[in-house]
Amino acid sequence: MTCASGFYFQRNQNLFLITNRHVVRDEDSGHEPDRLEITLHTNPDNVAETSAYSIPLYDNAGQMLWREAKDNAGTVDVVAIPIDSRAFPADAMFAAFKPTDLPGDLENIEVGESIRVVGFPLNFQDSLHNLPVMRHAIIASAFSLRFQGYGYFLTDSLLHRGSSGSPVVLRVNRRVSGRDHFPWMLLGIHSSRLDSVNQEEGEDERLNLFTAWYSDVIMTLTNHQPLP
């Protein structure tokens, strides 16, 4: 069993789990699970109470249930998995990002901006309350320009396995943005480490640079006909 991170995204009445594509299928390593297991909180008065929920990745005919996308550079390492929240336990508690939580003007977000990555690095968490941890990062490439023409920007942080699929968020000024209810903007989806091709093993330290796919890909992945 492997661990990863992810988050909910709601568009209209449809709910999705967003994570990396390599979490649901990684041809290079042979990683091809048939389902994902998530934990749901079930008691607003005691967040230590949880229930397990299983998300199938294929239908009975063996067809994949997740939605993926490609751009000019190839497959995007982000998927959206439709979820029927009606199958959740009746007392399940969850919150989801929405289209209004995505940035509108990329040029207003600067390189060097302080951001956060929320997930389960090495499956580390508050195991009593089943809550993730937050890591600090900065934007390490020009945010309004897609790095090397790919659909991601770079972050500079200390991140580990298990963080794949984590939301990359920016805290915005409540008074300026008017976002009193939720002061976090969803910038991207953390994916993987990116090292220099000129790195010499045993000589050079790792760059500690990582890729984060721009969150606008979620709008492409969720732009389908309504779920049944």
Side-chain angles (χ1 to χ4, degrees):
M1 177 182 289
T2 60
C3 68
S5 302
F7 56 93
Y8 299 114
F9 186 84
Q10 185 169 355
R11 187 170 184 182
N12 300 321
Q13 301 303 312
N14 297 326
L15 183 68
F16 300 86
L17 178 68
I18 308 297
T19 189
N20 288 147
R21 185 188 185 276
H22 72 256
V23 171
V24 299
R25 177 183 289 173
D26 185 357
E27 289 86 349
D28 291 340
S29 68
H31 174 71
E32 294 192 18
D34 62 357
R35 62 187 56 250
L36 298 180
E37 303 288 337
I38 63 175
T39 300
L40 293 169
H41 291 91
T42 56
N43 186 344
D45 298 318
N46 182 5
V47 293
E49 292 186 18
T50 61
S51 175
Y53 183 78
S54 182
I55 303 173
L57 296 177
Y58 300 89
D59 63 18
N60 293 332
Q63 297 298 310
M64 67 183 194
L65 295 175
W66 72 83
R67 300 176 179 179
E68 60 182 50
K70 292 185 177 181
D71 59 18
N72 294 334
T75 302
V76 175
D77 193 23
V78 182
V79 296
I81 308 170
I83 295 178
D84 184 1
S85 61
R86 296 170 298 182
F88 280 175
D91 48 1
M93 301 181 300
F94 63 93
F97 289 100
K98 297 179 174 61
T100 52
D101 298 320
L102 275 57
D105 189 350
L106 303 187
E107 294 188 357
N108 287 335
I109 300 172
E110 300 179 350
V111 61
E113 193 91 58
S114 178
I115 54 177
R116 304 292 184 270
V117 182
V118 186
F120 301 90
L122 300 179
N123 200 26
F124 184 79
Q125 58 182 297
D126 178 348
S127 56
L128 173 61
H129 303 106
N130 289 282
L131 293 173
V133 297
M134 178 178 284
R135 303 301 299 264
H136 175 265
I138 65 169
I139 297 174
S141 62
F143 191 78
S144 60
L145 299 175
R146 296 178 183 259
F147 189 78
Q148 302 281 39
Y150 292 95
Y152 53 70
F153 59 97
L154 299 187
T155 65
D156 184 351
S157 185
L158 183 61
L159 300 170
H160 302 82
R161 289 183 298 103
S163 297
S164 296
S166 295
V168 179
V169 295
L170 170 69
R171 189 174 182 88
V172 293
N173 187 300
R174 296 186 181 188
R175 289 180 295 177
V176 174
S177 67
R179 295 166 59 88
D180 290 329
H181 65 295
F182 187 69
W184 297 100
M185 184 182 298
L186 178 62
L187 299 188
I189 305 94
H190 169 74
S191 178
S192 58
R193 185 187 301 273
L194 186 67
D195 276 316
S196 170
V197 295
N198 298 317
Q199 182 175 341
E200 294 187 15
E201 187 174 355
E203 296 291 331
D204 299 321
E205 294 183 359
R206 284 188 161 184
L207 292 174
N208 280 335
L209 293 176
F210 299 86
T211 59
W213 292 85
Y214 286 92
S215 58
D216 59 4
V217 69
I218 298 176
M219 297 302 289
T220 299
L221 293 171
T222 59
N223 186 27
H224 290 261
Q225 62 185 10
L227 303 177

